[in-house]
Amino acid sequence: MTFLLYAQKMATVIYTVYGVAIFFFVFWCGTWGVHLIAILYGKWKLHKKTSLPCEIPVPGVSIVKPLMGVDPNLFSNLETFFTMDYPTYELLFCVEDESDPAIMLVKRLMEKYPNVDARLFTGGGNVGVNPKINNMQPGFLAAKYELILISDSGIRMKEDTLQDMVSHLKDKVGLVHQMPFTCDRDGFAATLEKIYFGTAQARIYLSAAFLGVNCHTGMSTLIRKNIIDEVGGLQTFSGYLAEDYFIAKSLKERGWNMSISSQPAWQNSGLCEIHSFQARLTRWAKLRAAMVPHTIILEPLSECMVLGAFASWAVSFLFKWDALVFYLVHILVWFLLDWILLCIVQNGSLSFNKFDFVVGWLFRECSSPYLFLHAQWHPEIRWRGRTYRLKWGGIAEELKPKVKV
């Protein structure tokens, strides 16, 4: 009887190990499907020339620009919004702090381009914990057009970017968003940012967009104003730090579709440092874990080095393949597919050479698991000089500094 119990326990253990190995192998196979979807969809979708139909009136667009502080590229970035080739739009600049130096830059541009409809709002509002929504609230309420473009301060526009975004706003499409990418800039930190947004971020973003999964980031978003007004305006989402995700979720629940623009969002911040970039990635990881808890397991498994290690063990256990050879081939193929995807997103010559890509790619892939673990170990979020704690579901509460007595 004792022997039978022991045999049953051993069989259970063996079956469990086989099940775990099969899971890792199947998950590994699925990631290659994600790679291929991103490459094929990116090749088909991105950088296509679009134009607005001539036979119908072009809708007006109210562009809400929340600003905070000044960086070396802010003036040139904002100027691109004054020189767009679009017939009817207004610029609504929102600055919460009335002593912010960004106000001076905005006024200079308004004087330089007096024919462009532009207004400046200072002071913000106090409708929730989200500082971005508080900042944008006066501009959003004053918007006079049916379409709203929410655009972060570091975004740079091409002359036809707004045309491209409006052209994707078809029937039943309530929101058009741009896939995050970066402009060409000098330095290793800029190279690292471009590699991340052109590979790991682009892979998930494009495949999710193709499959209809909510992948929306709010750095450059065109949305129908009445859709937001129906649920009470922007302030409805002010309890979340990731308001972009919950805005898109609200739209989808009401039957609206989303579309990505053929042009990516050209991020062009003048302050580009490895530490600040990694802090940004860590903050996003904390937000994803709070909003979609299953990403705590799936996200680290989607990383090249981590998944390759588990998959190498799985094929060694299941098929008796050489684990080291499998791991090295896995890394090489992943690397090559990331290079192909980055070239598709860039749509032209890269600002760095292949050696820089190898170094930047290895640095990102090796540091990513650490950043994810660090995010889970320190769940509080520091953003715009404030500290927040996230609850399950993404609801945020601001942690006030303790007053010393």
Side-chain angles (χ1 to χ4, degrees):
M1 181 66 68
T2 303
F3 176 78
L4 288 176
L5 290 175
Y6 176 78
Q8 290 176 349
K9 290 180 179 179
M10 288 302 298
T12 301
V13 171
I14 292 173
Y15 288 142
T16 301
V17 174
Y18 265 104
V20 173
I22 291 172
F23 167 80
F24 284 128
F25 180 70
V26 172
F27 191 88
W28 176 81
C29 292
T31 59
W32 300 113
V34 173
H35 276 278
L36 293 177
I37 289 173
I39 289 173
L40 295 175
Y41 187 61
K43 186 67 176 177
W44 175 77
K45 180 71 175 182
L46 298 178
H47 304 290
K48 301 296 183 183
K49 289 294 183 181
T50 58
S51 59
L52 295 170
C54 300
E55 62 275 8
I56 60 175
V58 176
V61 179
S62 296
I63 302 174
V64 180
K65 292 287 294 185
L67 304 178
M68 182 180 180
V70 173
D71 68 55
N73 291 344
L74 181 61
F75 186 88
S76 62
N77 289 339
L78 296 181
E79 189 169 22
T80 62
F81 286 82
F82 285 84
T83 58
M84 292 186 299
D85 183 16
Y86 194 83
T88 309
Y89 69 94
E90 64 172 344
L91 296 173
L92 307 172
F93 296 100
C94 302
V95 184
E96 186 175 17
D97 187 351
E98 296 182 356
S99 62
D100 196 308
I103 294 175
M104 180 182 66
L105 296 186
V106 171
K107 289 181 177 179
R108 284 174 53 192
L109 286 167
M110 292 171 65
E111 292 173 0
K112 185 176 179 180
Y113 298 93
N115 295 327
V116 176
D117 187 1
R119 286 180 282 170
L120 174 63
F121 300 87
T122 60
N126 186 17
V127 294
V129 299
N130 188 309
K132 181 178 178 181
I133 288 184
N134 286 339
N135 194 3
M136 292 191 298
Q137 183 69 4
F140 181 85
L141 294 177
K144 61 185 179 183
Y145 293 123
E146 60 183 283
L147 302 182
I148 299 286
L149 173 64
I150 298 174
S151 176
D152 286 357
S153 61
I155 299 297
R156 187 177 185 86
M157 300 287 271
K158 295 183 177 180
E159 288 187 355
D160 61 341
T161 300
L162 189 54
Q163 288 189 35
D164 179 74
M165 296 184 74
V166 173
S167 69
H168 284 83
L169 207 64
K170 310 294 185 182
D171 292 340
K172 294 306 295 179
V173 173
L175 183 151
V176 176
H177 52 120
Q178 292 186 285
M179 187 187 76
F181 196 46
T182 62
C183 293
D184 293 343
R185 294 168 294 173
D186 296 328
F188 179 71
T191 298
L192 187 62
E193 284 193 19
K194 187 175 283 288
I195 290 172
Y196 169 75
F197 285 107
T199 58
Q201 175 81 0
R203 184 190 321 124
I204 299 301
Y205 212 90
L206 289 169
S207 57
F210 176 79
L211 296 172
V213 177
N214 182 3
C215 60
H216 171 233
T217 61
M219 63 180 62
S220 183
T221 300
L222 183 70
I223 191 168
R224 300 180 190 271
K225 187 174 184 295
N226 66 297
I227 295 178
I228 299 296
D229 290 336
E230 286 176 0
V231 293
L234 277 181
Q235 63 190 47
T236 302
F237 307 96
S238 61
Y240 308 99
L241 294 187
E243 79 290 337
D244 46 6
Y245 173 84
F246 290 99
I247 287 174
K249 183 174 180 288
S250 172
L251 265 65
K252 290 182 69 68
E253 290 174 348
R254 287 179 283 153
W256 289 95
N257 298 322
M258 298 188 301
S259 175
I260 62 171
S261 172
S262 64
Q263 292 188 24
W266 299 103
Q267 300 175 83
N268 191 42
S269 173
L271 300 175
C272 191
E273 300 172 338
I274 294 177
H275 174 74
S276 59
F277 174 60
Q278 290 186 325
R280 192 180 179 194
L281 297 182
T282 302
R283 184 175 74 248
W284 288 348
K286 295 175 183 180
L287 289 171
R288 289 192 295 270
M291 295 184 304
V292 192
H294 65 260
T295 61
I296 296 177
I297 297 175
L298 297 182
E299 186 165 329
L301 282 182
S302 65
E303 295 292 344
C304 174
M305 303 300 179
V306 176
L307 179 59
F310 283 114
S312 298
W313 166 79
V315 298
S316 175
F317 180 79
L318 293 172
F319 311 121
K320 310 304 178 186
W321 294 353
D322 188 298
L324 179 59
V325 172
F326 182 90
Y327 189 57
L328 294 176
V329 172
H330 160 85
I331 293 174
L332 177 61
V333 176
W334 195 295
F335 169 84
L336 293 174
L337 292 181
D338 272 357
W339 172 259
I340 292 171
L341 180 58
L342 177 60
C343 292
I344 290 172
V345 177
Q346 176 75 7
N347 193 40
S349 300
L350 291 164
S351 57
F352 47 83
N353 57 41
K354 293 182 175 64
F355 178 77
D356 292 334
F357 175 73
V358 172
V359 175
W361 186 87
L362 287 173
F363 182 87
R364 197 219 74 83
E365 294 297 335
C366 293
S367 63
S368 183
Y370 163 76
L371 294 177
F372 181 81
L373 291 175
H374 179 74
Q376 308 315 312
W377 192 258
H378 302 280
E380 290 82 13
I381 289 181
R382 290 191 58 81
W383 185 40
R384 298 194 177 193
R386 300 176 176 95
T387 303
Y388 302 89
R389 178 189 292 121
L390 293 178
K391 302 177 182 179
W392 291 118
I395 297 175
E397 63 174 342
E398 184 175 356
L399 301 179
K400 301 294 184 181
K402 295 181 180 179
V403 179
K404 294 182 179 181
V405 180

